């Protein structure tokens, strides 16, 4: 069965600190996709990144970076030099190739960046 | 990028009323979804559709119903609203297999 675990419920950091949000997933499929979404206080979910199971290269986009490790079934998200605007709830999600119509979301990590 | 619209953005309604939450997308996506979410909490899938005239119930039992008569439109209806329905309702759509979900801005429903 597919499952996504975000063990960190809430994290607080001081502005300019780096922070890593953990995501661990379970799936029996060899082909799958992982996603991160950001949900700011306004409520909408904003897509950040998609990664497929065959691409283990880490990705960097500005202050954001993602570390995908199949050996530990993890897809962690790091924000460098955090800013107040990064305060949001972040969701990790899994979609497998066989039943690709379904998304499996983690329970989310609430990040507060203190000025 | 998908454009997906939800109305109303906020709704306060009394117990027992019938309400319909609207969701429309302009990208021709076949797959559409409704999620229920208490603020900042996990998302619960309540309904989904893989195309016109196709609707399925999701993981979370819901007293709502949906319809999919047109590709672009996926409304959700509560026949008799109750305070337990107070929540945020998020509509999403998806194009090709394994593409990201694109979400609307959500409807925050309060039932008094």
């Amino acid at each position: 069965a597919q499952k996504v675990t975000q063990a960190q419920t809430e994290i607080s950091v001081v502005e300019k600190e780096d922070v890593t949000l953990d995501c661990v997933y379970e799936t029996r499929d060899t082909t799958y996709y992982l996603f991160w979404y950001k949900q700011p206080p306004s409520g909408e979910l904003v897509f950040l990144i998609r990664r497929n199971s065959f691409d283990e290269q880490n990705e960097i986009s500005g202050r954001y970076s993602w570390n995908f490790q199949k050996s530990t079934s993890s897809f962690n998200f790091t924000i460098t030099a955090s800013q107040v605007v990064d305060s949001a709830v972040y969701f990790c999600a899994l979609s497998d190739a066989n039943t690709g119509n379904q998304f499996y979301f983690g329970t989310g990590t609430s990040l507060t960046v203190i000025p | 990028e998908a454009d997906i619209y939800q109305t109303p953005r906020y709704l306060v309604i009394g117990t027992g009323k019938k309400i319909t939450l609207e969701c429309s997308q302009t990208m021709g996506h076949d797959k559409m979804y409704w999620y229920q979410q208490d603020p900042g909490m996990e998302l619960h899938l309540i309904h989904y559709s893989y195309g016109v005239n196709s609707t399925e119930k999701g993981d979370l039992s819901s007293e709502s119903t949906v319809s999919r008569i047109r590709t672009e439109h996926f409304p959700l209806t509560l026949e008799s609203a109750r305070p337990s329905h107070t929540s945020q309702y998020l509509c999403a759509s998806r194009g090709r297999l394994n593409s990201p979900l694109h979400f609307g801005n959500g409807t925050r429903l309060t039932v008094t």
Side-chain angles (χ1 to χ4, degrees):
Chain A
Q2 288 77 8
K3 184 179 179 181
V4 175
T5 300
Q6 295 180 254
Q8 304 152 307
T9 305
E10 295 181 2
I11 301 176
S12 293
V13 298
V14 177
E15 199 170 22
K16 298 184 182 178
E17 287 184 345
D18 300 345
V19 59
T20 295
L21 310 182
D22 297 333
C23 174
V24 174
Y25 62 91
E26 297 176 29
T27 179
R28 293 182 179 178
D29 295 302
T30 56
T31 303
Y32 50 89
Y33 293 81
L34 297 164
F35 304 81
W36 275 96
Y37 284 85
K38 174 182 180 180
Q39 187 176 40
S42 53
E44 75 275 18
L45 272 100
V46 178
F47 164 68
L48 295 178
I49 190 172
R50 179 186 75 165
R51 178 52 50 95
N52 75 60
S53 53
F54 296 109
D55 183 3
E56 287 194 73
Q57 276 194 328
N58 292 330
E59 184 157 340
I60 298 174
S61 176
R63 297 184 296 106
Y64 294 172
S65 62
W66 291 269
N67 182 1
F68 176 31
Q69 292 195 341
K70 289 179 74 171
S71 61
T72 57
S73 297
S74 65
F75 186 43
N76 297 336
F77 173 29
T78 297
I79 301 174
T80 303
S82 59
Q83 299 176 2
V84 172
V85 294
D86 296 327
S87 296
V89 181
Y90 292 85
F91 290 93
C92 181
L94 166 73
S95 174
D96 64 72
N98 290 328
T99 59
N101 294 323
Q102 292 296 341
F103 259 68
Y104 303 91
F105 283 91
T107 51
T109 297
S110 178
L111 173 66
T112 301
V113 180
I114 303 166
Chain B
E1 187 169 329
D3 291 319
I4 182 164
Y5 307 98
Q6 289 186 245
T7 57
R9 184 75 175 90
Y10 300 94
L11 180 61
V12 180
I13 199 166
T15 298
K17 299 291 186 182
K18 177 180 178 179
I19 57 170
T20 296
L21 308 184
E22 301 289 347
C23 176
S24 295
Q25 49 96 5
T26 59
M27 295 303 291
H29 288 172
D30 287 330
K31 304 171 193 62
M32 296 189 73
Y33 306 79
W34 275 103
Y35 288 88
Q36 184 176 340
Q37 183 196 30
D38 291 331
M41 305 298 285
E42 62 187 296
L43 287 86
H44 297 284
L45 179 66
I46 51 175
H47 294 284
Y48 58 97
S49 168
Y50 293 159
V52 171
N53 295 325
S54 156
T55 62
E56 301 286 346
K57 288 186 180 293
D59 305 321
L60 180 67
S61 175
S62 173
E63 294 162 343
S64 57
T65 59
V66 292
S67 63
R68 191 86 184 276
I69 299 173
R70 303 197 315 267
T71 298
E72 63 271 20
H73 194 213
F74 191 41
L76 181 144
T77 298
L78 280 167
E79 292 292 335
S80 180
R82 297 210 303 262
S84 60
H85 295 139
T86 295
S87 189
Q88 174 165 249
Y89 293 83
L90 290 161
C91 182
S93 72
R94 193 179 194 190
R96 66 184 187 279
L97 192 66
N98 292 307
S99 59
L101 283 174
H102 295 272
F103 284 87
N105 287 338
T107 294
R108 293 197 180 184
L109 173 65
T110 300
V111 183
T112 60

